[in-house]
Amino acid sequence: MSTTPTGVQEIKVAHSPDSDDAFMFYGLATNKVRVPGYKFTHVLTDIETLNQRAIHDPYYDVTAISFHAYPYLQDEYALMACGGSVGEGYGPMIVAPRKYTTDEVKKLKIAVPGELTTAFLTLRLFHPEVAYEVVPFDQIIPRVVAGEFEAGLIIHEGQLTYGDNGLHKVLDMGQWWREQTDGLPLPLGGNAIRRSLGAESMHIATQALRDSIQHALDHRPQALEYAMQFARDLDPNLANKFVGMYVNERTLNYGDDGREAIKKLLDMGYERGVIPHKAKVDFID
């Protein structure tokens, strides 16, 4: 925690350079949302890098993380009760140049976006012995198209654009998860806050993020225009659709079933040997 000479407390925020994250942080990043006595500074880095940084060097006060990573960093961070990306029957998906049956896909080598992503955790719950190789998320579709991999596990905007590359959806992990859990949504990514900030600052920063999300939802055209610079070649209509998928009422508040889904996902990961630590999930409201 650093303090400026004027006594204003700096909160170092890190999130991924994606249109949905940019949308939810629009209010704070553009100073449309201000908090007396606090200054929020922003760093943009891909989610797998943020997962690793939070585990090995808890530098950022607020950081976007994959829920899969939380048990590895829970001693240093708690979960904010807002700011999450939750799939309502949709989520990361396995895509391939041709269609495969569920049994066939279990025999493929799949390009995945990172071992700590929630997409990968869900894939391991689907098939614990999956053959895979880690590939930067934005290279998965091109490398599947090029024939380097039989299939790819895609996240972010690729969920809307894979068809433009001639690929087929083999399995939607969010849909699979809903079927396995009697209708629960799939929690993908959230925001964690450093415990060493202390209870008051943790609460104030969490409320600031909630206010930023609400501001973006209330000023959607302006927030979308800001987010478009991070939309990776999506046209405005697709960017609007993608943001709507992952920044909505659940981003303001997970809801009881959303919180249940987070705990269930991590408990299943632990029980099936994918995660070595049992998660102690606590939310900062």
Side-chain angles (χ1 to χ4, degrees), residues 61-75:
D61 299 310
V62 174
T63 182
I65 61 164
S66 302
F67 282 116
H68 183 191
Y70 179 72
Y72 298 89
L73 51 89
Q74 61 190 4
D75 290 342

Side-chain angles (χ1 to χ4, degrees), residues 125 264-275 278:
L125 294 177
K264 187 173 188 67
L265 177 73
L266 297 177
D267 284 346
M268 285 176 66
Y270 174 71
E271 290 162 3
R272 299 188 185 185
V274 182
I275 300 173
K278 185 166 177 60

Side-chain angles (χ1 to χ4, degrees), residues 78-114:
L79 283 175
M80 298 173 107
C82 60
S85 297
V86 178
E88 301 277 357
Y90 51 80
M93 55 184 67
I94 301 171
V95 298
R98 67 177 185 85
K99 295 183 177 180
Y100 290 96
T101 66
T102 301
D103 287 337
E104 287 173 337
V105 77
K106 292 180 178 180
K107 301 173 183 176
L108 305 179
K109 184 174 184 180
I110 299 175
V112 304

Side-chain angles (χ1 to χ4, degrees), residues 119-229:
F120 183 67
L121 170 58
T122 314
L123 179 64
R124 290 283 306 278
L125 294 177
F126 164 70
H127 181 44
E129 306 304 320
V130 62
Y132 69 92
E133 183 176 323
V134 175
V135 173
F137 77 90
D138 56 352
Q139 294 180 25
I140 290 177
I141 288 177
R143 293 179 69 174
V144 171
V145 170
E148 294 181 44
F149 295 95
E150 297 166 295
L153 179 65
I154 57 172
I155 58 176
H156 298 321
E157 294 90 343
Q159 296 168 52
L160 297 179
T161 62
Y162 67 90
D164 298 339
N165 295 275
L167 299 179
H168 299 274
K169 178 172 68 175
V170 176
L171 182 66
D172 187 315
M173 304 311 302
Q175 188 174 356
W176 174 83
W177 169 258
R178 183 168 63 179
E179 292 166 356
Q180 301 299 308
T181 59
D182 296 323
L184 287 179
L186 176 59
L188 298 164
N191 282 280
I193 186 162
R194 206 151 55 92
R195 297 180 186 274
S196 60
L197 287 174
E200 182 181 10
S201 291
M202 291 169 77
H203 171 73
I204 288 171
T206 300
Q207 187 58 49
L209 176 54
R210 185 175 283 113
D211 290 344
S212 183
I213 298 163
Q214 187 66 64
H215 182 86
L217 292 172
D218 292 342
H219 300 84
R220 192 176 190 89
Q222 298 91 330
L224 274 172
E225 183 179 1
Y226 171 79
M228 277 301 297
Q229 62 187 305

